[in-house]
Amino acid sequence: MRDVDNLIHLSNPHLEKMKDDILYHFALGTSTHDFPALFGDVKFVCVGGSASRMKAFITYIAEELGLGSVGADYPNICAGTDRYAMYKVGPVLSVSHGMGIPSIAIMLHELIKLLYHSKCSNVTIIRIGTSGGIGLEPGSVVITSQSVDATFKPQFEQVILGKTVIRSTNLDDQLAKELMQCSKEIHQFNTVIGNTMCTLDFYEGQARLDGAICLYTEEEKMQYLKAAYDAGVRNIEMESSVFAAICNLSGETAVTLISPGSLYIHEAIVTFFTYISK
């Protein structure tokens, strides 16, 4: 448990001038919802791609941690929109983010504002999901130390007002070490700490051979993946860079746990939650 309150930071002075803040893609707003009452106790936020997976996750978390009754149903807090889904039990919030950098970026902007308006503190945000592994057995859990782009640079690049802005993609080193120590103690999962490569697409960007377009050879693919491995990359996905960049700017403790080749890493998350909640 952290000793000092870590409050959410908004890097936007314009929000102070707004009478109401509408979180469009969550169908929530400060004039229509009591954010501190609804979310003020949130300490853990887990985000993942699909809505159905995040509902299954919150149900699993509730049962395993004794936070809800057996067979209970958890309503979608964002039922007023079909963009994202959000579920809550106790101090745990589970939110879907869709696929790719644009989708998770929109969600994160509104999630950060939600946590700010709710006056949350000491929040840990964990992205969970699947990925393509490099040199790992299927089902291994990768704890991301930093996200790198397709050229293996630890940065997130975005064009804002016609200018290229580069932001850091490092994730919380201490939390990663704690989670790694936890995995060693429980001996249930093959877990590694490594770089996660974030790409802009699922096919060519990840050196796949089965897309509609592929203008490189299998040999060139393998050379690229070997170079990635040598650069410390252990898996590939499409959201980690902007996840790290936005969390860094907002002051959250954040990490990504990704399981190459396995759809379910709920057990790992439950164990990790129990560990870092002490």
Side-chain angles (χ1 to χ4, degrees):
M1 184 72 69
R2 298 181 188 87
D3 296 325
V4 180
D5 282 345
N6 182 18
L7 299 175
I8 306 301
H9 173 68
L10 292 184
S11 301
N12 183 359
H14 303 289
L15 291 176
E16 297 296 332
K17 304 174 185 177
M18 296 171 54
K19 181 180 179 180
D20 301 320
D21 190 4
I22 301 174
L23 311 185
Y24 299 100
H25 305 88
F26 286 167
L28 299 172
T30 54
S31 64
T32 55
H33 297 79
D34 187 342
F35 280 60
L38 289 170
F39 307 106
D41 62 339
V42 169
K43 294 299 180 183
F44 299 104
V45 181
C46 265
V47 302
S50 75
S52 61
R53 188 183 300 174
M54 299 320 291
K55 183 170 185 179
F57 172 77
I58 204 68
T59 301
Y60 186 84
I61 284 290
E63 293 178 358
E64 290 297 311
L65 297 185
L67 297 173
S69 57
V70 178
D73 184 42
Y74 300 95
N76 178 11
I77 298 171
C78 298
T81 176
D82 60 359
R83 298 297 184 185
Y84 303 104
M86 180 186 297
Y87 306 94
K88 182 179 183 297
V89 62
V92 181
L93 197 64
S94 176
V95 190
S96 68
H97 59 60
M99 185 181 294
I101 287 174
S103 184
I104 192 175
I106 294 169
M107 186 281 292
L108 285 170
H109 274 275
E110 299 190 12
L111 173 64
I112 300 305
K113 293 198 295 177
L114 180 152
L115 296 173
Y116 174 81
H117 293 311
S118 301
K119 304 186 187 308
C120 295
S121 63
N122 294 334
V123 178
T124 298
I125 302 181
I126 300 177
R127 191 185 99 69
I128 62 175
T130 57
S131 65
I134 301 181
L136 296 175
E137 295 181 2
S140 300
V141 174
V142 177
I143 304 172
T144 306
S145 58
Q146 61 181 0
S147 174
V148 300
D149 63 18
T151 64
F152 318 140
K153 295 178 181 177
Q155 63 183 36
F156 172 63
E157 183 177 308
Q158 184 175 7
V159 176
I160 302 174
L161 301 181
K163 299 179 181 179
T164 299
V165 176
I166 295 177
R167 290 170 174 163
S168 169
T169 54
N170 290 327
L171 288 156
D172 191 271
D173 181 63
Q174 183 58 38
L175 179 56
K177 290 178 179 177
E178 290 178 7
L179 297 180
M180 188 65 192
Q181 180 59 36
C182 175
S183 76
K184 291 179 180 178
E185 293 175 4
I186 61 178
H187 299 295
Q188 292 182 12
F189 313 99
N190 176 38
T191 306
V192 300
I193 295 178
N195 293 341
T196 295
M197 184 164 72
C198 185
T199 66
L200 298 180
D201 106 290
F202 184 80
Y203 287 99
E204 291 178 285
Q206 298 189 17
R208 297 181 187 273
L209 301 174
D210 57 344
I213 300 169
C214 181
L215 303 178
Y216 45 82
T217 66
E218 184 172 2
E219 181 181 1
E220 289 172 326
K221 165 190 173 170
M222 297 309 298
Q223 289 175 348
Y224 177 69
L225 293 180
K226 182 180 183 305
Y229 186 88
D230 291 343
V233 174
R234 293 298 175 263
N235 62 332
I236 310 173
E237 47 82 87
M238 297 187 292
E239 293 90 17
S240 61
S241 62
V242 72
F243 172 79
I246 290 180
C247 288
N248 283 338
L249 286 171
S250 304
E252 282 89 4
T253 300
V255 71
T256 66
L257 295 171
I258 310 175
S259 179
S262 174
L263 289 177
Y264 301 100
I265 55 172
H266 296 176
E267 266 187 76
I269 300 298
V270 168
T271 307
F272 292 155
F273 271 5
T274 304
Y275 183 84
I276 62 181
S277 296
K278 294 178 181 179

